[in-house]
Amino acid sequence: GENVEQHPSTLSVQEGDSAVIKCTYSDSASNYFPWYKQELGKRPQLIIDIRSNVGEKKDQRIAVTLNKTAKHFSLHITETQPEDSAVYFCAASIRTGGGADGLTFGKGTHLIIQP
Amino acid sequence: DGGITQSPKYLFRKEGQNVTLSCEQNLNHDAMYWYRQDPGQGLRLIYYSQIVNDFQKGDIAEGYSVSREKKESFPLTVTSAQKNPTAFYLCASSIQVSGELFFGEGSRLTVL
């Protein structure tokens, strides 16, 4: 089955700096890559996703890049703010259309924004 | 106020007892899911259902059971056969299987 590796497990950055979280996947058939953010004590929420037919997607301060050849994708957060502190999960789906039943999650990255 | 409601939020049980976690959604979503979250382990799929009266095993279904008698409801039973039931359980739903997951606030089960 699919295996998703996520690094680092903990990332501490100064407020205003950029943060990058990286994930690799094993199954070349994976075609949908969402990122979920889970603030302390709250539910995970989708923040951005990308499908295999594009290489990059941006939404304000966050962006995701995908390298299908190398089978890795990354989350980039610029101008980090205190509210960016959370656990971030990447995921990959092997289902046609990106079915959630085929989602495999990474183990998460705890992002800490230092004031 | 639309969303997914899980109950109870915290649950303590003795070893050997079955427990049922409730999940209700009023989003009119077809698909519903149960995930288990352990520290440093990400989210692992237990069961999912794409339609009423139908459900499928996920990656870690052993020791769990579900039912989907109504579109709005997808309860999870943690049976005594689950060897390590202490965990945080998240219910989610999506419009279709390929859609964005909307999560509930979770239920933390502790087996004493």
Side-chain angles (χ1 to χ4, degrees):
Chain A
E2 174 66 281
N3 182 47
V4 176
E5 299 280 344
Q6 183 171 349
H7 299 280
S9 57
T10 304
L11 178 61
S12 181
V13 301
Q14 289 294 125
E15 184 178 346
D17 287 350
S18 295
V20 181
I21 302 170
K22 299 180 180 181
C23 290
T24 60
Y25 61 98
S26 60
D27 195 329
S28 56
S30 288
N31 54 56
Y32 174 63
F33 307 90
W35 287 86
Y36 284 83
K37 174 184 179 182
Q38 186 177 27
E39 296 179 40
L40 186 62
K42 297 192 176 181
R43 68 191 79 194
Q45 291 187 299
L46 180 72
I47 55 170
I48 196 167
D49 56 11
I50 191 168
R51 295 192 183 268
S52 58
N53 57 346
V54 297
E56 183 175 3
K57 184 176 179 180
K58 293 182 74 172
D59 183 3
Q60 299 183 348
R61 295 187 298 108
I62 61 173
V64 57
T65 58
L66 171 64
N67 184 325
K68 286 180 60 182
T69 303
K71 291 190 282 189
H72 68 71
F73 56 112
S74 301
L75 178 71
H76 304 253
I77 305 174
T78 59
E79 299 172 13
T80 53
Q81 300 170 5
E83 54 264 36
D84 294 330
S85 292
V87 178
Y88 292 80
F89 294 98
C90 64
S93 177
I94 60 171
R95 294 282 187 262
T96 302
D101 59 316
L103 268 179
T104 299
F105 283 86
K107 293 186 176 181
T109 295
H110 184 194
L111 177 61
I112 302 165
I113 307 300
Q114 302 280 4
Chain B
D1 194 20
I4 301 179
T5 302
Q6 288 186 240
S7 62
K9 195 168 185 178
Y10 298 97
L11 185 60
F12 296 88
R13 278 294 181 267
K14 293 182 180 179
E15 256 187 61
Q17 289 182 330
N18 291 356
V19 299
T20 297
L21 308 180
S22 170
C23 178
E24 304 276 333
Q25 55 100 356
N26 61 3
L27 300 168
N28 200 32
H29 285 174
D30 290 311
M32 296 187 74
Y33 314 80
W34 274 104
Y35 286 91
R36 171 175 171 147
Q37 185 175 20
D38 295 287
Q41 291 297 315
L43 302 171
R44 292 181 291 169
L45 183 64
I46 304 172
Y47 267 99
Y48 67 97
S49 168
Q50 298 184 39
I51 196 169
V52 174
N53 292 323
D54 185 55
F55 48 82
Q56 307 295 329
K57 291 182 179 180
D59 300 318
I60 56 166
E62 186 175 349
Y64 300 98
S65 65
V66 293
S67 62
R68 187 87 185 276
E69 297 176 3
K70 299 186 299 181
K71 187 176 184 177
E72 304 78 19
S73 179
F74 191 41
L76 173 74
T77 297
V78 184
T79 75
S80 56
Q82 168 49 234
K83 291 184 175 13
N84 186 17
T86 295
F88 188 60
Y89 292 89
L90 282 162
C91 179
S93 69
S94 63
I95 295 175
Q96 300 168 347
V97 173
S98 60
E100 171 186 353
L101 289 171
F102 291 84
F103 286 90
E105 293 195 328
S107 294
R108 186 168 298 280
L109 171 63
T110 302
V111 175
L112 306 171

